[in-house]
């Protein structure tokens, strides 16, 4: 039942130790002198006193939201509504874990053009054309989880460089970081949240 090296097992067999009870009855000091740390480890396992440090599972630092659309979207306003829904869900998940967005990645699957589909099918009817993709990365100066501010920043990027075709599917990936903590002074009035300033400046 124990993981034992072959040489150590042969030594225990020569000593007549065939059960965990017999192994637990051996003096730990003598086992250490004859078998080293391996003897101490086996004695602790046999006596049920072996302890090991727990390795804590690290929480995921990446959060993903996605949405597949029944009808392709090509206007900014309906797209902003859908992005707002995804951001609300994303920020709620982050808030439940006391995290915030450090970087936001948006990937769209675009609707392929009819001409290209027809040409591809003509070349090889068995090959399905790969979906076009559009990607944007929003890197933030400080971690935040204000969905409205994030949406306005995304709108600015999309207005400056819009997708070249209607959107069929949306993937949103957030790299998370610890939320920013503010230390207020006892006699100093608290100032406005920097995120609210960013939000106002984007209006």
């Amino acid at each position: 039942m124990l993981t034992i090296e072959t040489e150590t097992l042969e030594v225990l067999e020569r000593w007549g130790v065939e059960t965990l009870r017999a192994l637990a009855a051996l003096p730990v000091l003598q086992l250490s002198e004859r078998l080293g740390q391996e003897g101490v480890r086996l004695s602790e396992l046999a006596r049920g006193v072996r302890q090991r440090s727990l390795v804590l599972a690290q929480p995921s630092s990446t959060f993903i939201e996605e949405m597949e659309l029944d009808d392709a979207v090509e206007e900014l306003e309906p797209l902003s509504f859908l992005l707002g829904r995804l951001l609300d869900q994303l920020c709620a998940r982050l808030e439940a874990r006391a995290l915030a967005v450090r970087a936001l990645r948006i990937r769209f699957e675009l609707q392929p053009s009819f001409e290209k589909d027809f040409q591809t099918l003509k070349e090889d009817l068995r090959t399905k054309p790969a979906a076009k993709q559009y990607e944007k990365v929003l890197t933030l100066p400080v971690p935040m989880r204000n969905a409205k501010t994030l949406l306005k920043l995304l709108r600015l990027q999309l207005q400056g460089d819009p997708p070249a075709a209607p959107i069929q599917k949306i993937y949103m990936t957030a790299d998370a970081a610890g939320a920013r903590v503010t230390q207020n002074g006892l006699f100093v009035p608290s100032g406005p949240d920097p995120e609210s300033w960013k939000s106002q400046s984007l209006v």
Side-chain angles (χ1 to χ4, degrees):
M1 295 179 64
L2 304 179
T3 303
I4 305 177
E5 296 179 358
T6 304
E7 297 178 359
T8 304
L9 183 60
E10 292 175 353
V11 171
L12 293 176
E13 288 177 349
R14 288 200 300 269
W15 291 352
V17 178
E18 298 180 350
T19 64
L20 293 177
R21 182 175 182 179
L23 179 59
L26 297 177
V28 179
L29 181 60
Q30 283 75 7
L31 274 175
S32 176
E33 292 175 350
R34 291 166 174 78
L35 299 179
Q37 290 300 314
E38 177 66 8
V40 176
R41 183 185 74 87
L42 294 175
S43 176
E44 291 177 346
L45 289 173
R47 290 182 289 117
V49 297
R50 179 71 174 175
Q51 297 182 358
R52 61 184 179 87
S53 301
L54 293 177
V55 180
L56 300 179
Q58 296 296 326
S60 175
S61 60
T62 303
F63 293 78
I64 301 174
E65 295 284 345
E66 64 179 71
M67 179 185 295
E68 188 165 3
L69 309 179
D70 295 332
D71 298 320
V73 174
E74 54 184 333
E75 299 293 334
L76 182 58
E77 288 306 320
L79 177 60
S80 297
F81 175 77
L82 299 176
L83 292 176
R85 287 178 51 188
L86 292 178
L87 285 170
D88 287 338
Q89 297 172 10
L90 188 64
C91 290
R93 292 173 59 193
L94 291 169
E95 185 174 5
R97 295 165 176 80
L99 296 173
V101 179
R102 180 181 57 195
L104 191 64
R105 294 177 175 83
I106 298 293
R107 179 163 59 90
F108 299 145
E109 282 190 5
L110 305 181
Q111 187 178 53
S113 62
F114 175 78
E115 293 79 5
K116 184 176 181 180
D117 286 349
F118 183 78
Q119 184 178 0
T120 304
L121 291 172
K122 192 174 180 180
E123 293 174 355
D124 188 357
L125 294 175
R126 295 171 298 177
T127 303
K128 184 179 179 180
K132 293 181 181 179
Q133 294 186 352
Y134 171 95
E135 295 186 7
K136 280 291 183 182
V137 179
L138 177 62
T139 304
L140 302 171
V142 293
M144 67 176 68
R145 55 170 178 255
N146 188 317
K148 293 182 178 179
T149 302
L150 293 172
L151 179 58
K152 289 178 181 179
L153 293 173
L154 284 178
R155 282 177 59 96
L156 287 176
Q157 284 203 341
L158 294 174
Q159 286 174 352
D161 183 20
I167 299 164
Q168 288 185 324
K169 195 168 185 178
I170 305 172
Y171 297 90
M172 182 179 293
T173 305
D175 294 337
R180 184 179 47 191
V181 178
T182 303
Q183 179 68 44
N184 294 324
L186 184 61
F187 302 104
V188 179
S190 59
D193 186 358
E195 292 184 18
S196 65
W197 281 101
K198 294 185 180 69
S199 178
Q200 293 174 10
S201 65
L202 294 173
V203 176

